[in-house]
Amino acid sequence: MSVGIHAFGGYVPKARLQRGVIAEANAWFNPGLRGLGKGERATANWDEDAVTMAVEAARDALGGTGGGTGKDGINGVFLASTSLPFQDRQNAGIVAEALHLGHALQTMDVAGSQRAGTSALLNALQAAGGGGGPILVAGAERRRTKAASPLELTTGDGAAALVVGDGDGIAKLLGHASESIDFVDHYRGQDETFDYVWEERWVRDEGFMKIVPVAITRALDAAGISADAVDHFCFPTPARRVAGMLAKKLGMPDDSVRDNLQGTLGEAGAAHPLIMLASALEDAKAGEIIVVAGFGQGCDALVFEVTEAIGSAQPGHGISGYLARRREETNYMRYLAINDLMVVEQGLRSEVDKQTGMTTLYRNKEMILGLIGGQCRDCGTLQFPKSNVCVNPNCGAIDSQDDHPFADMAAKMNSYTADALTYSPDPPAYYGMVQFEEGGRGMMDFTDVDPGAKLQVGQPMRMMFRVKDFDTKRGFRRYFWKATPDGAPKSPRGGE
Amino acid sequence: MATGIRDKVAILGMGCSKFGERWNDNAEDLMLEAFTEALGDAGIEKNQVEAAWFSTAIEEQHVGKSGIPLAMALRLPYIPVTRVENYCASGSEAFRGAVYAVASGACDIALALGVEKLKDTGYGGLPQRSRGALNDQYWSNMSAPGSFAQLASAYQTKHGVSRDDLKRAMAHISVKSHDNGAKNPKAHLQKAIDEDRVLNAPMIAEPLGLFDCCGVSDGSACAIVTTPEIAKSMGKTDLITVKALQLSVSNGTEVQHNSWDGSYFMTTRTASKKAYEEAGIKNPREDVSLIEVHDCFSVTELVTMEDLYISPEGGAIKDVMDGFYDADGKIPCQIDGGLKCFGHPIGASGLRMIYEMYLQMQGRAGERQRSDEPKFGLTHNLGGFPHQNVCSVVIVGQEGA
């Protein structure tokens, strides 16, 4: 029985920190950083993390943003990341609740290595081959890096999601191989915030150049594909020329080497191979061969053949659409502040206790995590939250509402403010009345509003799953949905 | 058939503390200051008060819960004390309790006292606090100025008004209230300002600048009420009586149903209509002499002029710019400085407004005394947010008016 990828999507945070700004700010300390000071890196907003970015990528794949396969029948959610917000509370479970996939499914976090993304994908494909699909695989990463470190310049934040299941789908799995070996190019011990990194020349010569070819060769053999037939080689390292050296060593064509997105996004850790794969699927043609590899204490290599179905694949925005949804960030201080890399005076208003009652949250999880409201059976009025008594002044029916999901509905903004008084990690706080066109509304926080942006009453808005509050006292974070000005470009695939 | 409250209860005495940053006083000191004035004004002994209503809104910042703080501060003789909280309408809510108690015949003399001590937070503006366990998980991260500021964008859109024209009318409102506050020795803010200062002030919540926002103050105000018959038996003449007491509370339509456009207050329109009916006022623009409205923000005052059916819908800017609501205009609004300058100790504010009406009707308002004798005075409070609020409208007036 064949297995394959049936849908794909991506997500890239809107802010793109200019690397030149990082390099200049830190050149006094390490002039060598100027060599890395080109292009830009995607930088998560203060209210984003691996969970929220995975949700957006998954919506892009599942159809929440206009394309995808839909949510019906999803049997599992695997979330791969080394920057999961919870160490003990399943992060994939939050993603599944936010996507409103129901509760009869398997959810799993895959972590512990930069290889987690490909390992999650491979295991999902294997599970799907055994009848466990379709499975949503998401990779998301928001790595923390020290100021003035090379990693600060080379990494970026982002996510990708793939739906895998039995059947060829849009990209059929031809073969795979894994090599597992305790090669420690970097590590992050328990309770440590930042990576500890060994010399890159050693990593290149003994790691990339020796371990990766073994896995890829075995995978190609298993697939029955010769290296020179590869059309897209996705190898997620920011290290210059390494992917090209590997292609040459393996005999893959020079032009098969995919852009590692270093100039526009940065390397997104465990999510990066999936991001490169999702990016490749945006422009791959039927019959083409894609090789994707993940590196970290060994290597996973997967070989796919793109099928005729690619022509009808419809991601929402895709990596390309989200890369185009972009705000140039030149304020390094803002980046440092929202990434908790310096101690900022937050003011007394930030001190309000943010304890979350687990009972309250559990009782209302559909409303809070899934943005599920109600629709009145008697009068049809949509309303959020779902309530016992219909809000329509001409109805007022009791116990008349069925669940209604609002997250993917078209909305517009009725009123707004930019509030410099209330506490926000990125003031001013934007919020306002957001009205769903088919009914229902809410006074909602806005997110990803560009500094100094002029908002217009009536402008289209869309929902995004974000962190609402951090409970710094207890290490908890609340999630809820926020509104953002709509208008991210669609993936070029979307129109086909 | 209910006949309403009109002329059933009279104000026997009132008191109001100095409002402001009362760094050296506890809430108890402010309560006693207001009560002592009211007791002297009423000409009664403390033990003649048979029941009390006590209003505070953010009690965790000062006295804590229950009616006990009032009973202890004044050493009331083990009478009923009911603590009320209804956002910024709390003071009017206490007044309603006391007036209804007298009107029902349950007691002859009742007290309504409100107090708030807001300057013990360490920062300017209202205290930041929880909105409730579930609300905290989905309500927007809004402040009071941020929620009221949105009236501006919605009003501009609905009436096709430019931001500049709206900002100028809002500035006129604040300049007018500062002019009035400068004549009020009990006001928190007593300095006149000009339009340029308002328009160039730092932004608090777009488009509200610093001078579009009212003061946050410490203060207390109270009323002692009885029946007109008892007041007269005590030798009182020219009574000020209660004409209407209305309250309207949002049921979620504004925030959850797409029928509200965000540019006005559904509650104020409901409460004011009922209040005029209860008071027997046919044409508010002609018949109301003075108004004290909940000018927490300049834009609130502007749209409220329409919600009270004094300015026509879409016509408030013109009336404001024409000086209709200035101290020497047809219907002065905030002749005492309003929340803007008298200050806003939440639990006391509704009672402070009635206090001003009471002084004006007795000709005791000093430098800011209105020359035309006021017949009907309307006070108005809004608590909460435009999309979800409590509105009170109280009308007091000359007995028989």
Side-chain angles (χ1 to χ4, degrees):
Chain A
M1 189 169 71
S2 68
V3 289
I5 296 168
H6 291 254
F8 63 98
Y11 177 72
V12 184
K14 192 176 185 187
R16 306 300 150 76
L17 180 59
Q18 302 302 298
R19 290 208 184 87
V21 169
I22 311 176
E24 281 314 308
N26 294 301
W28 66 275
F29 182 77
N30 182 0
L33 293 175
R34 284 206 175 102
L36 295 170
K38 297 177 192 67
E40 58 191 29
R41 55 156 295 172
T43 302
N45 205 343
W46 70 267
D47 55 359
E48 296 187 282
D49 61 21
V51 163
T52 67
M53 291 192 292
V55 169
E56 289 309 325
R59 293 173 73 202
D60 201 44
L62 292 172
T65 57
T69 55
K71 295 174 178 178
D72 288 349
I74 295 289
N75 229 351
V77 175
F78 294 0
L79 173 60
S81 178
T82 71
S83 50
L84 294 167
F86 286 92
Q87 293 197 43
D88 193 346
R89 174 197 180 184
Q90 199 185 52
N91 298 279
I94 308 170
V95 173
E97 290 285 358
L99 295 170
H100 196 51
L101 296 175
H103 297 132
L105 78 173
Q106 186 192 7
T107 52
M108 181 167 71
D109 291 339
V110 184
S113 165
Q114 298 295 302
R115 192 154 52 109
T118 48
S119 299
L121 175 59
L122 184 51
N123 277 273
L125 286 158
Q126 289 171 327
I135 293 170
L136 174 83
V137 182
E141 200 81 279
R142 183 185 185 172
R143 274 161 94 183
R144 301 204 56 201
T145 55
K146 286 181 187 167
S149 66
L151 278 176
E152 181 175 50
L153 286 137
T154 59
T155 56
D157 304 326
L162 302 149
V163 178
V164 302
D166 56 13
D168 293 354
I170 57 172
K172 175 188 179 182
L173 179 69
L174 297 181
H176 62 86
S178 293
E179 188 77 4
S180 294
I181 179 165
D182 190 31
F183 179 85
V184 186
D185 58 318
H186 74 277
Y187 63 87
R188 189 163 79 241
Q190 189 170 22
D191 301 331
E192 290 298 321
T193 306
F194 302 106
D195 292 359
Y196 190 82
V197 183
W198 214 251
E199 186 182 352
E200 59 185 28
R201 293 175 59 83
W202 173 70
V203 176
R204 182 191 64 198
D205 295 346
E206 295 299 310
F208 293 143
M209 296 311 296
K210 288 192 177 165
I211 296 170
V212 176
V214 176
I216 291 180
T217 301
R218 282 174 42 215
L220 287 171
D221 286 350
I225 295 288
S226 70
D228 60 5
V230 173
D231 299 288
H232 303 275
F233 175 39
C234 304
F235 191 71
T237 176
R240 283 174 199 163
R241 294 187 300 277
V242 165
M245 288 161 65
L246 283 168
K248 198 176 183 67
K249 183 169 182 176
L250 286 159
M252 295 189 285
D254 285 350
D255 63 2
S256 69
V257 177
R258 296 281 310 182
D259 176 11
N260 62 2
L261 305 174
Q262 185 60 203
T264 50
L265 196 160
E267 187 244 324
H272 210 61
L274 307 189
I275 288 172
M276 289 183 69
L277 176 57
S279 177
L281 288 168
E282 280 194 79
D283 48 39
K285 296 176 186 64
E288 289 186 338
I289 302 296
I290 299 175
V291 171
V292 57
F295 181 80
Q297 292 77 58
C299 180
D300 296 323
L302 296 89
V303 182
F304 294 96
E305 179 181 359
V306 180
T307 73
E308 294 293 339
I310 191 76
S312 58
Q314 291 196 344
H317 304 292
I319 294 293
S320 68
Y322 276 117
L323 278 174
R325 176 186 178 266
R326 167 182 173 275
R327 172 178 75 78
E328 207 168 284
E329 174 63 279
T330 54
N331 188 340
Y332 183 56
M333 293 293 277
R334 189 204 317 264
Y335 164 83
L336 291 179
I338 69 174
N339 284 283
D340 223 2
L341 291 165
M342 61 182 215
V343 181
V344 177
E345 174 57 78
Q346 304 283 4
L348 273 61
R349 288 179 180 277
S350 69
E351 293 170 10
V352 175
D353 196 311
K354 303 286 188 187
Q355 189 195 34
T356 300
M358 294 304 122
T359 41
T360 320
L361 175 57
Y362 184 68
R363 223 170 26 241
N364 297 283
K365 60 187 175 303
E366 285 83 7
M367 166 192 167
I368 299 296
L369 298 176
L371 202 67
I372 304 303
Q375 179 164 33
C376 178
R377 280 186 297 278
D378 286 14
C379 71
T381 300
L382 297 178
Q383 47 209 288
F384 185 90
K386 184 179 168 184
S387 58
N388 298 323
V389 184
C390 178
V391 72
N392 178 355
N394 300 316
C395 177
I398 295 175
D399 290 337
S400 66
Q401 294 174 42
D402 295 321
D403 282 356
H404 182 88
F406 280 83
D408 297 332
M409 288 174 64
K412 64 184 180 64
M413 185 260 281
N414 279 12
S415 65
Y416 76 99
T417 191
D419 188 335
L421 181 71
T422 195
Y423 167 70
S424 165
D426 186 18
Y430 285 87
Y431 50 87
M433 185 65 84
V434 175
Q435 176 162 319
F436 296 96
E437 283 168 23
E438 291 169 51
R441 53 163 56 179
M443 180 59 65
M444 299 191 74
D445 286 323
F446 297 173
T447 191
D448 289 350
V449 176
D450 296 348
K454 289 279 171 252
L455 299 180
Q456 290 292 330
V457 169
Q459 78 178 72
M461 305 291 280
R462 59 163 289 206
M463 300 296 114
M464 286 190 132
F465 187 69
R466 294 296 175 105
V467 173
K468 170 143 179 59
D469 289 303
F470 289 97
D471 179 356
T472 51
K473 211 166 156 181
R474 304 174 186 83
F476 193 75
R477 57 187 66 186
R478 291 173 179 157
Y479 294 97
F480 188 56
W481 295 78
K482 299 182 185 178
T484 193
D486 200 1
K490 298 296 176 192
S491 165
R493 275 277 184 237
E496 288 185 20
Chain B
M1 184 66 190
T3 54
I5 199 69
R6 184 180 176 181
D7 287 337
K8 289 177 181 165
V9 177
I11 299 173
L12 190 58
M14 290 200 76
C16 182
S17 77
K18 163 90 175 70
F19 283 12
E21 289 164 331
R22 301 287 301 262
W23 305 120
N24 295 315
D25 292 300
N26 290 322
E28 287 76 4
D29 300 315
L30 306 176
M31 287 148 78
L32 185 63
E33 188 175 319
F35 183 63
T36 303
E37 181 186 345
L39 211 55
D41 179 40
I44 60 168
E45 299 295 322
K46 179 171 74 180
N47 60 14
Q48 289 177 264
V49 175
E50 294 165 75
W53 275 260
F54 176 49
S55 54
T56 59
I58 308 183
E59 85 289 345
E60 63 269 39
Q61 290 290 343
H62 49 108
V63 296
K65 292 190 187 304
S66 89
I68 296 170
L70 179 68
M72 287 183 71
L74 306 182
R75 303 288 186 208
L76 295 174
Y78 284 79
I79 60 169
V81 181
T82 303
R83 187 232 159 181
V84 296
E85 182 281 311
N86 219 351
Y87 275 157
C88 295
S90 299
S92 298
E93 196 64 286
F95 186 72
R96 204 163 73 104
V99 168
Y100 279 1
V102 166
S104 74
C107 60
D108 285 340
I109 297 178
L111 167 71
L113 185 145
V115 70
E116 214 74 55
K117 184 79 194 143
L118 295 175
K119 295 304 300 181
D120 281 343
T121 57
Y123 51 87
L126 289 174
Q128 202 89 26
R129 59 204 189 280
S130 169
R131 269 87 186 243
L134 181 57
N135 294 339
D136 283 346
Q137 294 189 46
Y138 80 101
W139 281 20
S140 69
N141 174 24
M142 61 191 169
S143 67
S147 63
F148 283 85
Q150 293 174 52
L151 291 163
S153 53
Y155 188 92
Q156 279 175 250
T157 305
K158 182 175 189 181
H159 297 295
V161 175
S162 76
R163 184 180 185 276
D164 285 353
D165 286 349
L166 183 64
K167 278 284 281 184
R168 204 162 301 116
M170 286 157 56
H172 185 103
I173 285 170
S174 295
V175 169
K176 169 265 298 168
S177 292
H178 273 264
D179 284 346
N180 296 348
K183 296 178 181 164
N184 183 351
K186 285 188 176 178
H188 182 167
L189 304 174
Q190 298 182 31
K191 279 192 188 134
I193 55 170
D194 61 22
E195 191 182 290
D196 281 349
R197 186 141 183 228
V198 179
L199 293 175
N200 296 321
M203 198 56 75
I204 300 297
E206 167 69 28
L208 302 178
L210 181 63
F211 289 97
D212 291 303
C213 306
C214 77
V216 165
S217 325
D218 302 331
S220 176
C222 70
I224 297 169
V225 294
T226 187
T227 64
E229 295 70 33
I230 294 170
K232 283 171 196 160
S233 74
M234 292 175 165
K236 302 278 181 184
T237 55
D238 302 324
L239 298 184
I240 314 301
T241 60
V242 180
K243 305 290 185 182
L245 289 174
Q246 290 296 332
L247 193 75
S248 174
V249 178
S250 294
N251 72 357
T253 301
E254 298 98 313
V255 71
Q256 293 168 6
H257 190 258
N258 291 358
S259 50
W260 179 64
D261 65 22
S263 72
Y264 66 98
F265 289 87
M266 284 178 66
T267 51
T268 303
R269 291 185 180 188
T270 306
S272 61
K273 204 172 274 178
K274 286 186 185 168
Y276 295 135
E277 202 178 302
E278 188 173 28
I281 291 173
K282 297 274 185 296
N283 183 351
R285 194 174 170 99
E286 295 304 320
D287 299 340
V288 174
S289 327
L290 283 175
I291 54 177
E292 286 286 335
V293 304
H294 201 82
D295 57 329
C296 48
F297 304 99
S298 56
V299 71
T300 320
E301 179 170 328
L302 185 108
V303 306
T304 298
M305 298 305 98
E306 298 175 15
D307 295 338
L308 292 175
Y309 302 100
I310 295 175
S311 290
E313 201 173 325
I317 289 180
K318 182 177 185 301
D319 279 345
V320 164
M321 298 309 286
D322 287 351
F324 186 87
Y325 298 109
D326 292 354
D328 58 358
K330 174 81 165 52
I331 304 182
C333 181
Q334 331 296 57
I335 200 166
D336 64 357
L339 299 177
K340 176 77 192 77
C341 293
F342 204 142
H344 186 24
I346 302 175
S349 282
L351 288 157
R352 180 274 298 167
M353 294 173 172
I354 299 167
Y355 174 76
E356 179 66 13
M357 296 301 171
Y358 179 74
L359 293 185
Q360 290 280 352
M361 287 178 191
Q362 295 187 331
R364 292 163 55 196
E367 208 192 329
R368 64 185 187 281
Q369 178 64 46
R370 175 79 169 169
S371 49
D372 307 352
E373 195 184 3
K375 207 166 77 167
F376 286 109
L378 179 149
T379 70
H380 159 267
N381 289 118
L382 281 171
F385 316 95
H387 61 272
Q388 195 165 339
N389 66 84
V390 174
C391 173
S392 67
V393 174
V394 175
I395 300 174
V396 296
Q398 309 279 3
E399 191 189 19

